[in-house]
Amino acid sequence: MDTTAASTSSTSSASSTASPAEPAPLKVAVILGSNRDGRFGPVVADWFLARAAGHPGVETELIDVAEADLPTAITFSPGPEEAARLAAVSERLAAADAFVVVTPEYNHSFPAPLKTLIDWHSAEWQAKPVAFVSYGGISGGLRAVEHLRQVFAELHTVTVRDTVSFHNAGVLFDDEGRHLDPEPADVAAKTLLDQLVWWGTALRDARNLRPYGA
């Protein structure tokens, strides 16, 4: 018997049946877009982070506009303190593979601090997917989301089609932040995350193959 040939054949067979390596977890920056006094946003953000924690292949990090406290005047030469605050946020956005924006609706649109965070950055957004979780009154924040889609299109992102929206959000959660009717919202969150992972993985692979040129 030719043991060399048998060994080679066995190795070849094992190689052909080996499963492909699992992709690295998708780094998702969850952006809490309101800094209003008494805001409801943390309840919604915590709910979503809990859903994301149970989704395979996703690592999340919360970026809160209230904590970021970015300067409202856009300038090419911010002072040392402003530059340090900007750098802390910019590094986290640049490291993300995808984004989820948690936004309320104020006067038919999204909050000014969220626009400030968006406008301070450019390359950090490019060729990455953005998904939306919105909350509000009867509209559920969807008018804010539609405005955000236009803004993010200008920044060379891909916005995920399906959203999670909470209509009359204040009555949907108990005092501990638990959703009172969780099943439909959980299904919506899974759909959003599934789409985000698909786009995030595909665009990450594309950027690694060929850097994006805006």
Side-chain angles (χ1 to χ4, degrees):
M1 177 179 179
D2 187 341
T3 56
T4 302
S7 175
T8 302
S9 175
S10 175
T11 302
S12 175
S13 175
S15 299
S16 65
T17 57
S19 59
E22 288 292 322
L26 197 72
K27 297 178 181 178
V28 178
V30 178
I31 300 169
L32 176 50
S34 170
N35 68 351
R36 178 177 284 190
D37 185 38
R39 61 188 179 156
F40 193 71
V43 173
V44 178
D46 287 346
W47 173 89
F48 178 77
L49 289 167
R51 308 284 84 69
H55 195 283
V58 170
E59 292 181 353
T60 57
E61 179 182 18
L62 181 66
I63 299 176
D64 186 342
V65 297
E67 294 178 1
D69 192 24
L70 297 184
T72 56
I74 308 294
T75 173
F76 290 108
S77 55
E81 183 179 338
E82 290 81 4
R85 293 204 304 270
L86 279 166
V89 174
S90 300
E91 290 172 5
R92 297 163 73 190
L93 294 176
D97 299 309
F99 308 100
V100 175
V101 176
V102 179
T103 183
E105 180 180 315
Y106 296 163
N107 299 323
H108 281 225
S109 194
F110 55 94
L114 176 55
K115 186 63 160 63
T116 296
L117 183 144
I118 293 169
D119 288 350
W120 268 113
H121 301 93
S122 178
E124 291 85 354
W125 307 114
Q126 292 177 0
K128 298 177 183 179
V130 183
F132 303 101
V133 176
S134 65
Y135 61 96
I138 193 169
S139 73
L142 290 175
R143 290 173 292 208
V145 169
E146 291 309 305
H147 287 182
L148 282 164
R149 290 188 188 279
Q150 298 176 61
V151 172
F152 276 111
E154 182 68 16
L155 294 166
H156 300 260
T157 72
V158 174
T159 57
V160 172
R161 181 202 180 274
D162 286 22
T163 66
V164 178
S165 59
F166 294 107
H167 305 258
N168 298 315
V171 301
L172 299 179
F173 294 83
D174 66 16
D175 292 340
E176 302 299 321
R178 293 184 295 256
H179 200 287
L180 298 174
D181 183 21
E183 185 175 352
D186 287 353
V187 170
K190 182 181 184 305
T191 298
L192 179 150
L193 284 163
D194 286 346
Q195 293 180 9
L196 187 71
V197 168
W198 192 96
W199 279 108
T201 304
L203 289 172
R204 181 178 63 186
D205 291 346
R207 292 194 310 276
N208 289 337
L209 181 64
R210 183 170 62 185
Y212 182 77

